[in-house]
Amino acid sequence: MLTGYHVAVMGGDARQIEIIRKLHEWDAHVYLAGFDQLNGSFTECTDLDFSGSHVEKLDAIILPIAGTDDQGMIDGIFTNRTISLQTDWLKKTPAHCQIYSGIANDALKKIVKKAGRDLIPLMDRDDVAIYNSIPTVEGTIMMAIQHTDYTIHGSKVLILGLGRVGMSLARTFHQLGAKISVGVRSDAGKARVYEMGLTPIDMRDIDKYEMEFDYVLNTVPAPVVNASIIKKLPSHALILDLASKPGGTDFRYAEKRGIKAILVPGLPGLVAPKTAGNIVANVICGELQKSKRKVEE
């Protein structure tokens, strides 16, 4: 239980709703910022007054899965207000206050470090990323069906990256009857792809390969789907970029070639916000309980 614990939830999407509900189940005192358009759905919560005294009580702050932008701004679909995370404000929180975010860019890391607080990027955790890959894969299948006029079964699919999401994508699309090639950068990665019964592609020499693929699924947050790859793709190919913004695809060149390329970060929050929210909520509440014990000791 989190009785007596003070937690602020700031911005985000429908996944945050499940986090708020879970915090209430665990008896935490919850403060909200960026949820003013929910029309009183959480009357038991307190609006976060950034200049109020309750800032000095906060044991944890939960940011959206996307964290902040490069200026420290926090996005939220339930408000039109601007939410800004500032170092001077964070310094008003207790020294043990923890900052939770799905991912953390350099701006967020800098803000939290200057404030002397602990930042916990949840998507860096293997358990969260692996659980999260389930709705990500389902959402990818949905997008693949919606944006093509051919079946996944029998199609040729290139998956770039064999991380936690890439491996789930490779396994699932293979089970759907697609012919899978996986782009990797290490000999160990090539061995793993071979062991899975799939075709490895060395991304260090990817320009040497033919690109006769119906789907390209990118999970690498770096510019890997470049013009040299796109120019070899058939005109009917679909590129789905699952990496965090700005993705790893040359979208300008894809449009020039007439190839449909879609950036779809945060798929779990779009296709299964309840499941995705519960995944994050369970991890956060477990970590908060551990932190609470340490503070009380």
Side-chain angles (χ1 to χ4, degrees):
M1 298 294 288
L2 294 173
T3 304
Y5 223 57
H6 295 254
V7 183
V9 181
M10 302 172 64
D13 53 29
R15 287 172 286 190
Q16 308 301 94
I17 302 301
E18 301 307 317
I19 294 172
I20 295 168
R21 287 173 177 159
K22 182 68 68 172
L23 288 169
H24 277 300
E25 288 178 13
W26 286 49
D27 200 32
H29 193 126
V30 181
Y31 303 86
L32 301 181
F35 295 89
D36 46 279
Q37 293 182 352
L38 283 179
N39 299 321
S41 297
F42 292 102
T43 55
E44 63 274 31
C45 295
T46 303
D47 288 336
L48 180 61
D49 181 357
F50 284 82
S51 60
S53 60
H54 55 238
V55 175
E56 301 172 4
K57 301 178 183 179
L58 292 178
D59 299 293
I61 297 170
I62 300 173
L63 303 179
I65 299 300
T68 68
D69 66 13
D70 292 337
Q71 285 73 47
M73 307 304 293
I74 299 169
D75 191 22
I77 67 172
F78 301 112
T79 185
N80 291 322
R81 299 175 185 175
T82 299
I83 306 173
S84 177
L85 189 68
Q86 302 289 337
T87 296
D88 290 342
W89 180 80
L90 275 183
K91 288 181 178 179
K92 297 178 182 179
T93 63
H96 67 268
C97 181
Q98 296 178 319
I99 317 301
Y100 290 85
S101 178
I103 58 177
N105 59 15
D106 290 339
L108 178 56
K109 291 176 183 177
K110 185 177 181 180
I111 292 169
V112 176
K113 184 177 181 180
K114 281 187 175 181
R117 301 297 181 263
D118 290 332
L119 176 62
I120 303 173
L122 295 167
M123 292 304 165
D124 285 354
R125 292 177 50 131
D126 283 335
D127 57 347
V128 175
I130 292 170
Y131 284 131
N132 218 41
S133 72
I134 299 170
T136 298
V137 170
E138 290 191 13
T140 304
I141 294 169
M142 178 192 76
M143 296 287 290
I145 293 172
Q146 286 180 339
H147 293 280
T148 57
D149 57 2
Y150 43 86
T151 63
I152 293 173
H153 186 281
S155 65
K156 296 179 180 179
V157 179
L158 172 62
I159 298 170
L160 296 177
L162 193 66
R164 295 158 299 194
V165 173
M167 187 169 290
S168 295
L169 284 170
R171 183 183 300 112
T172 305
F173 273 74
H174 179 57
Q175 291 171 343
L176 288 173
K179 301 171 184 177
I180 308 296
S181 297
V182 183
V184 293
R185 290 187 178 276
S186 67
D187 291 337
K190 288 195 288 185
R192 176 57 66 192
V193 173
Y194 177 80
E195 180 273 331
M196 294 172 69
L198 311 177
T199 302
I201 286 182
D202 193 332
M203 292 179 65
R204 295 167 294 189
D205 297 313
I206 198 166
D207 289 344
K208 298 178 181 179
Y209 293 85
E210 296 296 326
M211 290 286 133
E212 291 298 319
F213 295 104
D214 303 297
Y215 299 96
V216 177
L217 311 178
N218 178 52
T219 69
V220 181
V224 291
V225 189
N226 54 33
S228 64
I229 291 177
I230 296 172
K231 71 180 181 181
K232 295 181 182 179
L233 291 172
S235 60
H236 69 268
L238 172 67
I239 301 170
L240 295 177
D241 197 322
L242 311 178
S244 55
K245 292 181 181 179
T249 300
D250 187 338
F251 292 99
R252 183 202 64 81
Y253 186 72
E255 182 178 7
K256 182 178 180 179
R257 269 223 57 210
I259 290 177
K260 186 177 291 186
I262 307 172
L263 178 63
V264 283
L267 264 179
L270 295 174
V271 301
K274 188 175 185 67
T275 297
N278 275 319
I279 289 169
V280 177
N282 288 332
V283 172
I284 288 177
C285 286
E287 290 301 308
L288 289 177
Q289 192 171 48
K290 293 177 185 177
S291 177
K292 185 172 185 287
R293 292 195 194 104
K294 291 179 181 178
V295 171
E296 292 173 344
E297 289 175 356

